[in-house]
Amino acid sequence: MANIMIEQSHELTHEDAHDRLKRLGDFLARKHGLHVVWNNDEHVHVTGKVMLVNVDATVSLTPGRVKLFGKDPGALFRKTVEDFLLLSIKKYLDPKINAAQLPSAG
């Protein structure tokens, strides 16, 4: 099966970007039941199933950039999944939005 890759630049400190991605992971775990496991401060593995779509992705955080690499959900869901992921990452890494206002596990 093919893979998808999404890259997004950001202007946050590493710590702020990490905290925001952790909030996003916590939200996805709570809202969709995904398993989110941080391997270290730079890599997180996300697995599970949302509706009909199996999720298996790795997110890497580097200075100024976030990269998501995951299994392609197939032609039927590809565009929807890519758009959702990119919009979510952009929202959570937007420095104009206070991190405390972003949905998380609570």
Side-chain angles (χ1 to χ4, degrees):
M1 182 176 264
N3 293 304
I4 59 170
M5 189 166 112
I6 296 172
E7 292 188 57
Q8 178 62 42
S9 62
H10 67 84
E11 299 174 2
L12 303 169
T13 65
H14 182 80
E15 293 77 20
D16 193 17
H18 177 272
D19 291 345
R20 288 165 176 260
L21 288 177
K22 183 165 183 341
R23 289 183 76 86
L24 175 57
D26 291 346
F27 172 74
L28 293 173
R30 178 178 57 86
K31 175 91 176 176
H32 299 292
L34 295 176
H35 301 281
V36 180
V37 178
W38 283 88
N39 300 324
N40 53 42
D41 282 348
E42 297 176 353
H43 298 94
V44 61
H45 190 212
V46 182
T47 58
K49 189 170 189 172
V50 178
M51 297 173 79
L52 301 174
V53 179
N54 287 315
V55 177
D56 187 358
T58 301
V59 179
S60 299
L61 173 62
T62 58
R65 184 160 303 280
V66 172
K67 295 180 183 177
L68 180 142
F69 186 77
K71 290 186 179 176
D72 187 338
L76 184 61
F77 298 108
R78 182 179 305 124
K79 178 79 170 128
T80 302
V81 169
E82 287 177 341
D83 289 349
F84 171 78
L85 291 170
L86 187 56
L87 288 173
S88 296
I89 291 170
K90 282 183 177 183
K91 176 181 176 180
Y92 275 76
L93 295 179
D94 185 344
K96 296 176 193 144
I97 298 175
N98 184 326
Q101 296 173 325
L102 296 167
S104 66

